[in-house]
Amino acid sequence: MQELSPEQIEFTYALERAKQLAAEGKMLHAQQLYFRLAQNYPEQESAVIGLVGLYDSQGNETSARETIYSAIEKAPENIQLRLFAGHYFFKKHLWQETIDVLGVVVPEQEPLGAFFTGYAYFMLKEYILAKRYYIIYLEKRRSAEFVQDAYVYLCKICIHLGEFKEALEYVKLAEEFFSAHFELRLLYAVVYFYLEMYTNAIVEIEKAITLNPSEPSLYEWGAKIAMQCQRYDQAERYLRFMQDMVEELPVELISMLGLACMYNKKIAEARELFAKSLSLQPDEPGALDGLNKINTEFYVYERK
């Protein structure tokens, strides 16, 4: 075993003392000691991590961020420090900062940096860059950690990019890891919807709802798919389930409910829903189309 140098011994002792002071509630003394260690031993990320954790626990995010950037400036080649910084910014939903500190992390050195970078680009809706980093992560990864998540996000990215056949391949790969999860069944349903495989989409959205009947977005997609299949009773039922779960339906779903009611010959209620939709958004296309259909095609049912 390699013998520790006097500097390493001093650092280790002081670091443990800082941890002890923090545990005893002596935050100012702990902060001062962590700060001195971070200044004197810039190559040792442990002191920076401790100081940032202390600032963060006190709600002092400004000092935490300044500490991170100061440490990176002093030790720009420290991969573990950059990974810590990237993870910290990731948890704070600071996506550009995550990208900035992880941008120089070579994936061969630490593939996890590529995963976090990919997610940050995904949240910024930079889907082409997000896709590139997720693929790098999968190619360079050293373990199965986060693999299923990478496949899920690659599927979502391909949906955003209109690459639906590729999205289907990724959701199939994700299924190898967790087949009985409602989000996976939803992704299948969405991909099949865009591939115009509506019967398959109906099967998958029903599976998703069975797995998580309290998730409103599943009923939204169920209604969209049912409308395409001309299953208007089912679309209306899904939207009424969702209506009971949320404070207010989005304006386009109010119009969709109106269309479902119209096709189910509930013309008076359809008119009310279209009127409500147009009061919220005067140019809502679904409501305008619905009113036009009532006046030209469904008026005979209104007379009955």
Side-chain angles (χ1 to χ4, degrees):
M1 188 171 69
Q2 186 177 4
E3 188 174 341
L4 296 176
S5 68
E7 291 79 8
Q8 290 172 321
I9 293 172
E10 180 185 0
F11 174 82
T12 302
Y13 173 79
L15 184 67
E16 290 303 314
R17 178 59 180 156
K19 292 178 182 177
Q20 183 181 353
L21 288 169
E24 293 172 357
K26 299 174 181 178
M27 297 303 181
L28 181 59
H29 290 87
Q31 180 180 314
Q32 291 171 338
L33 186 49
Y34 273 131
F35 184 82
R36 179 170 65 80
L37 289 172
Q39 293 294 310
N40 295 341
Y41 301 90
E43 74 284 356
Q44 297 283 355
E45 69 275 358
S46 302
V48 176
I49 292 170
L51 183 57
V52 170
L54 206 61
Y55 282 137
D56 197 54
S57 68
Q58 297 169 342
N60 190 351
E61 292 187 16
T62 299
S63 294
R65 292 172 68 174
E66 289 174 353
T67 299
I68 287 171
Y69 283 123
S70 175
I72 289 175
E73 186 178 354
K74 292 177 181 176
E77 303 302 320
N78 189 325
I79 298 297
Q80 293 307 312
L81 175 60
R82 284 186 178 274
L83 279 174
F84 163 75
H87 188 247
Y88 176 83
F89 290 135
F90 181 88
K91 291 191 298 181
K92 299 296 182 182
H93 297 181
L94 298 169
W95 310 122
Q96 189 59 55
E97 287 84 348
T98 301
I99 292 165
D100 291 342
V101 298
L102 293 178
V104 299
V105 174
V106 180
E108 287 82 353
Q109 292 177 278
E110 187 45 72
L112 196 56
F115 180 92
F116 289 126
T117 304
Y119 187 90
Y121 275 122
F122 176 82
M123 295 305 294
L124 291 174
K125 300 182 180 179
E126 296 282 353
Y127 298 119
I128 293 175
L129 288 168
K131 182 178 180 181
R132 188 176 93 189
Y133 276 95
Y134 274 122
I135 290 173
I136 289 172
Y137 167 74
L138 290 169
E139 288 176 346
K140 305 298 182 182
R141 65 185 173 85
R142 302 191 191 103
S143 70
E145 187 181 22
F146 300 122
V147 169
Q148 69 271 30
D149 302 276
Y151 286 138
V152 164
Y153 282 108
L154 279 167
C155 176
K156 292 178 178 181
I157 288 164
C158 287
I159 290 170
H160 283 292
L161 294 174
E163 299 168 349
F164 304 120
K165 289 184 179 179
E166 193 172 349
L168 183 58
E169 293 305 312
Y170 283 124
V171 77
K172 286 178 179 178
L173 289 167
E175 188 175 21
E176 297 176 14
F177 294 87
F178 57 116
S179 59
H181 192 279
F182 84 91
E183 186 181 13
L184 188 80
R185 305 334 303 182
L186 173 60
L187 283 174
Y188 263 115
V190 172
V191 172
Y192 283 137
F193 175 84
Y194 285 118
L195 288 172
E196 299 182 3
M197 300 169 67
Y198 299 123
T199 301
N200 293 42
I202 280 284
V203 171
E204 292 297 337
I205 201 64
E206 287 175 349
K207 289 179 183 177
I209 290 170
T210 299
L211 290 167
N212 189 359
S214 62
E215 173 52 51
S217 65
L218 300 181
Y219 296 99
E220 177 179 352
W221 272 104
K224 288 180 181 178
I225 297 164
M227 290 294 287
Q228 285 293 332
C229 295
Q230 298 183 358
R231 300 185 181 186
Y232 303 119
D233 287 342
Q234 190 175 25
E236 182 183 345
R237 187 168 67 253
Y238 281 145
L239 288 169
R240 292 199 189 279
F241 279 135
M242 186 179 177
Q243 197 172 33
D244 291 338
M245 294 178 175
V246 298
E247 186 173 336
E248 181 71 88
L249 286 177
V251 63
E252 66 273 13
L253 294 187
I254 296 172
S255 296
M256 187 185 294
L257 180 57
L259 287 169
C261 288
M262 180 189 73
Y263 284 114
N264 291 330
K265 311 302 188 297
K266 301 175 182 178
I267 306 302
E269 187 172 1
R271 278 194 182 278
E272 291 177 6
L273 289 163
F274 293 145
K276 181 177 180 180
S277 181
L278 291 170
S279 71
L280 297 170
Q281 184 178 322
D283 59 347
E284 208 295 304
L288 293 172
D289 180 58
L291 283 175
N292 182 60
K293 278 186 167 63
I294 285 178
N295 293 329
T296 59
E297 300 174 38
F298 287 82
Y299 66 94
V300 293
Y301 299 103
E302 197 169 21
R303 293 176 181 175
K304 293 181 180 180

